Amino acid sequence: MHCCASKASTFEADDTRLRMSEKKRVCIVGSGNWGSAIAKIIGNNVVAMSDQFHTEVRMWVFEEMINGRKLTEIINQDHENVKYLPGIKLPTNVVAIPDVKESAKDADIFVFVLPHQFMRNVCKQLQGGVKPTAVGISLIKGFDVKEGGGILLITTVVREVLNIPCASLMGANIANEVASENYCEATIGCKDPKNGQLLKTLFQTKYFRIVISEDEDTVEVCGALKNIVAVGAGFADGLGFGDNTKAAVIRLGLMEMVNFCEVFYPGSQQATFLESCGIADLVTTCYGGRNRKVAEAFVKTGKSIEVLENEMLNGQKLQGPPTAYEVNYMLKSKMMEDRFPLFTAIHKICKGELKPDQFIECLKNHPEHM
């Protein structure tokens, strides 16, 4: 009897160790307003599902001094990102770490949520220190420029540099509204059903609902391109036009998004554009969000995009203008600017090659109307 009990205890101990070894450790790479909003969701979820996830969530934070205190110190002691998401309490199990390599140690799931301009450099810092069994998910909306006139998806950069699979999460998600637990939706683009379900489990809450799509390239491309269209919506606002004009910007922008996917990502599914990553995110961004806001100020003040970004965004980065540049970089190299006149005009206005009031002429002369 004693022997059997001893064996049973051994089996139970082994089973416990097995379950513990299967727990996933999460690292959030980035800590702006969207990264902090996501940290709140993930931090609460891993505690609620401690049988599946380690309860400590490490978040890489670019160190800054705020009123004489380190930002990591404030987050870890006061549990609030006072610079990028003020007024929202973060779970106490979210730990801010200033060294990206240290934050990534032993991580099984990487959540990338930082300005896309910095992504390749951060991945290079992590190179060689990532578990081969890890998976990534990008919440980043933009492209990476490659030599020779092309662009790469951010998930492609992750796969190439870190050699791990990478999904994407895109949707109509204004960070402050998500952090305030307003109901919203998002789309995870992931070809692997097992990874898709794992990631859905990590992110979904009663107020943040997730749909999985295997059309992963289209999901990610929508998230990048909609920021370009939002800049156009801001131009229209700055020029004093109303909702009819903005609706035209949204419709023509959506058409160019669809055409872009058809040309450069063949096999895209039309239904994907009806998910949160598509039309919902496009509409939300064209009425709210920083790209629309700064583009409106660009027209009204005559200041440069760079100056307005510094004045208006408290350290956050715009994604629309650089994404417009990246897209134009490829279109120009392939002599395809005329096929995407809205994207092209927005880029040229941002660069000062066209005046803002010429944007309306672009709408009037769009090939759709010829």
Side-chain angles (χ1 to χ4, degrees):
M1 182 73 179
H2 177 74
C3 179
C4 290
S6 178
K7 288 182 178 179
S9 297
T10 300
F11 290 146
E12 288 171 3
D14 288 343
D15 185 52
T16 299
R17 281 193 292 271
L18 179 62
R19 291 198 303 271
M20 287 293 290
S21 69
E22 293 174 345
K23 288 186 178 184
K24 305 296 184 184
R25 187 181 297 279
V26 182
C27 170
I28 301 174
V29 183
S31 58
N33 66 336
W34 187 213
S36 297
I38 284 298
K40 177 184 174 182
I41 287 175
I42 292 176
N44 287 327
N45 277 357
V46 297
V47 170
M49 296 178 286
S50 59
D51 59 325
Q52 298 181 58
F53 300 98
H54 285 276
T55 54
E56 181 186 73
V57 175
R58 294 177 180 174
M59 179 171 69
W60 174 57
V61 175
F62 182 79
E63 191 69 279
E64 301 177 65
M65 296 302 294
I66 310 294
N67 297 324
R69 296 176 67 192
K70 293 179 178 179
L71 182 56
T72 53
E73 175 186 296
I74 296 171
I75 293 172
N76 291 332
Q77 293 180 1
D78 303 344
H79 309 295
E80 181 181 350
N81 189 334
V82 294
K83 180 167 185 180
Y84 297 109
L85 196 66
I88 300 294
K89 286 295 180 181
L90 300 179
T92 58
N93 58 312
V94 173
V95 180
I97 298 176
D99 185 295
V100 68
K101 292 181 180 179
E102 183 184 346
S103 71
K105 186 177 181 181
D106 298 324
D108 300 290
I109 300 174
F110 286 89
V111 179
F112 297 103
V113 54
L114 67 162
H116 74 272
Q117 303 94 310
F118 307 135
M119 186 59 183
R120 180 173 287 275
N121 182 54
V122 169
C123 282
K124 286 182 178 179
Q125 293 181 59
L126 295 174
Q127 197 170 30
V130 174
K131 294 164 66 171
T133 54
V135 299
I137 182 166
S138 170
L139 280 63
I140 300 168
K141 299 177 178 181
F143 297 102
D144 182 70
V145 174
K146 65 177 181 180
E147 294 183 10
I151 57 177
L152 293 175
L153 298 176
I154 297 300
T155 54
T156 301
V157 174
V158 173
R159 295 183 193 112
E160 290 185 354
V161 179
L162 299 182
N163 197 29
I164 61 172
C166 189
S168 64
L169 183 149
M170 304 288 156
N173 308 136
I174 301 295
N176 292 69
E177 294 183 17
V178 175
S180 298
E181 303 187 8
N182 293 357
Y183 178 81
C184 60
E185 302 171 319
T187 311
I188 287 179
C190 185
K191 290 180 180 177
D192 185 320
K194 184 179 178 181
N195 285 345
Q197 193 57 51
L198 171 67
L199 294 167
K200 178 176 180 176
T201 299
L202 180 64
F203 285 96
Q204 180 156 277
T205 71
K206 290 182 178 180
Y207 63 89
F208 191 62
R209 308 305 289 179
I210 304 293
V211 172
I212 302 172
S213 170
E214 293 186 6
D215 190 13
E216 60 182 22
D217 286 352
T218 308
V219 170
E220 185 173 2
V221 172
C222 282
L225 295 181
K226 60 94 183 183
N227 280 326
I228 303 177
V229 184
V231 173
F235 290 160
D237 287 339
L239 291 166
F241 290 89
D243 287 340
N244 289 346
T245 305
K246 185 178 289 189
V249 173
I250 292 171
R251 188 186 75 85
L252 294 171
L254 180 61
M255 285 186 59
E256 292 199 8
M257 289 168 61
V258 172
N259 291 341
F260 189 91
C261 286
E262 288 178 347
V263 172
F264 297 108
Y265 300 92
S268 295
Q269 300 168 15
Q270 294 285 322
T272 306
F273 294 94
L274 300 179
E275 296 291 349
S276 183
C277 62
I279 186 65
D281 195 9
L282 179 61
V283 171
T284 297
T285 311
C286 286
Y287 277 91
R290 67 190 77 156
N291 290 284
R292 188 219 62 79
K293 181 180 178 182
V294 172
E296 179 182 11
F298 173 81
V299 174
K300 289 183 174 180
T301 67
K303 296 179 180 179
S304 71
I305 294 290
E306 293 75 16
V307 167
L308 291 168
E309 184 180 60
N310 290 330
E311 288 182 356
M312 299 174 66
L313 298 185
N314 190 35
Q316 297 178 72
K317 294 294 182 181
L318 283 179
Q319 302 302 302
T323 303
Y325 164 78
E326 291 147 11
V327 167
N328 186 260
Y329 180 77
M330 183 169 74
L331 294 178
K332 192 171 185 178
S333 71
K334 298 181 181 297
M335 294 182 289
M336 296 179 69
E337 287 179 295
D338 289 345
R339 290 189 62 175
F340 299 90
L342 190 78
F343 291 168
T344 300
I346 291 168
H347 164 69
K348 289 184 176 181
I349 292 170
C350 287
K351 287 297 181 181
E353 297 173 17
L354 290 177
K355 294 182 179 179
D357 58 9
Q358 291 177 274
F359 181 65
I360 302 302
E361 293 303 311
C362 165
L363 300 183
K364 292 177 181 178
N365 297 320
H366 198 280
E368 167 72 5
H369 299 140
M370 296 295 107

